[in-house]
Amino acid sequence: MPELPEVEALAAFLREKAVGKVVTRVDVAAISVLKTFDPPVTALGGLTVTGIARHGKFVDLDCDGVHLVIHLARAGWLRWSDALSPKPPKPGGPLALRVHLNDESGFDLTEAGTRKRLAVYVVRDPADVPGVSRLGVDPLSGEFTVDRLQQILTKAGRAQIKGVLRDQAVIAGIGNAYSDEVLHAAKLSPFQPASALDADGVANLHAVIVDELATALKRAEGLAAKDLKDSKRTNLRVHGRAGETCPVCGDVVREVSFADSSLQYCATCQTGGKILADRRMSKLLK
């Protein structure tokens, strides 16, 4: 799933490629991708792309005051073309929506797999998108201070810190991958109770969050949309690397699996050598 650094880099890419161009037409290949009906998607035709913004993990194309807001979810992506096919797309397959611009460029929104969560909203105000209106503080904004993080963790109480970092209504933009990376860099167990950190621990976690995201964003700057996924995957230390060697201590990277997701961690770096129970495997052994 693209997270804050990739979505911000994608927004920057679209600012360079799309701003100032006119939307000539929007083709919908999968009606399920549209989550709104008023204004209709046809209202975008003839409007100029005047700005691109990011809200958490949402991309917002402002078209003369009508907003095309995109959430790529777990398996969605945006594929840009300088010479987009003029033919209407056929239903079925990974293509969900196609946006044509007046110089024959444009982009496709695609989604792999069978679980379709890619979402597109056409709204007059981005706040009309429920996921946008619920967003918490952006961790790369000036509002994300050490004190603000302390308040967040205190309010979370005994909730596991991994879940707090991933909660978009609390901190906007961090997902499964970067929460693993942040916790590894901060030397914290993903099951650490949020409110158990002392003042020094909170300050360290704040610094790590900002540094990890800012570093990832810097790596992504200037990359074409098609290269952002590979850049993210290549530079992750623990997420998605179960069974590989921790680059910090040399221990094996371990995994805890859940119903529809998993987390990765290093026991030596994060849990004092303790191996966390894998709930899926525990059930199989009973």
Side-chain angles (χ1 to χ4, degrees):
M1 177 186 289
E3 300 176 32
L4 186 156
E6 296 78 44
V7 177
E8 180 61 45
L10 183 58
F13 175 84
L14 288 172
R15 287 186 197 106
E16 178 184 344
K17 292 288 189 177
V19 169
K21 298 179 182 179
V22 176
V23 177
T24 54
R25 110 174 172 252
V26 179
D27 297 329
V28 180
I31 193 65
S32 61
V33 75
L34 288 176
K35 307 303 179 184
T36 55
F37 60 90
D38 182 25
V41 70
T42 53
L44 294 166
L47 301 183
T48 301
V49 181
T50 54
I52 310 287
R54 176 188 61 81
H55 314 287
K57 292 187 281 187
F58 292 81
V59 179
D60 171 13
L61 286 77
D62 184 347
C63 304
D64 284 334
V66 178
H67 296 258
L68 177 66
V69 181
I70 302 163
H71 190 273
L72 294 168
R74 178 174 294 182
W77 197 241
L78 185 149
R79 301 183 184 278
W80 179 268
S81 174
D82 288 325
L84 196 63
S85 172
K87 295 180 180 180
K90 296 179 180 179
L95 179 59
L97 184 137
R98 175 172 289 166
V99 176
H100 299 262
L101 300 174
N102 63 318
D103 64 347
E104 299 184 354
S105 68
F107 60 86
D108 289 339
L109 295 180
T110 63
E111 185 171 25
T114 58
R115 302 184 70 176
K116 302 302 183 183
R117 296 179 177 176
L118 175 68
V120 173
Y121 308 80
V122 181
V123 293
R124 295 179 180 86
D125 185 337
D128 293 337
V129 177
V132 172
S133 64
R134 291 195 301 264
L135 288 174
V137 62
D138 191 296
L140 290 184
S141 73
E143 297 178 5
F144 186 66
T145 61
V146 175
D147 287 344
R148 182 71 175 272
L149 180 59
Q150 178 70 76
Q151 293 168 10
I152 288 170
L153 298 177
T154 299
K155 185 177 180 179
R158 302 292 296 175
Q160 294 174 352
I161 198 163
K162 165 82 173 178
V164 175
L165 293 180
R166 289 189 62 189
D167 188 343
Q168 299 304 295
V170 176
I171 301 175
I174 301 176
N176 198 26
Y178 286 110
S179 58
D180 280 351
E181 297 297 294
V182 163
L183 293 172
H184 178 254
K187 301 185 181 301
L188 292 173
S189 167
F191 294 167
Q192 164 91 30
S195 61
L197 288 182
D198 61 18
D200 288 342
V202 174
N204 179 61
L205 178 60
H206 178 273
V208 169
I209 291 171
V210 173
D211 181 67
E212 287 290 315
L213 296 176
T215 300
L217 178 56
K218 187 172 183 179
R219 284 196 301 262
E221 285 178 352
L223 292 180
K226 63 183 179 64
D227 298 322
L228 288 170
K229 282 185 180 181
D230 286 341
S231 174
K232 176 184 178 180
R233 189 179 301 112
T234 300
N235 288 285
L236 295 174
R237 297 182 304 275
V238 292
H239 183 78
R241 300 194 180 279
E244 298 182 25
T245 300
C246 171
V248 174
C249 72
D251 193 3
V252 65
V253 175
R254 303 178 189 275
E255 180 173 88
V256 177
S257 298
F258 303 95
D260 61 352
S261 66
S262 62
L263 64 83
Q264 288 78 44
Y265 71 101
C266 171
T268 296
C269 291
Q270 296 175 251
T271 63
K274 179 182 177 182
I275 297 175
L276 302 175
D278 187 329
R279 284 147 172 77
R280 185 175 63 175
M281 292 303 299
S282 298
K283 289 181 180 179
L284 291 174
L285 294 173
K286 285 183 179 179

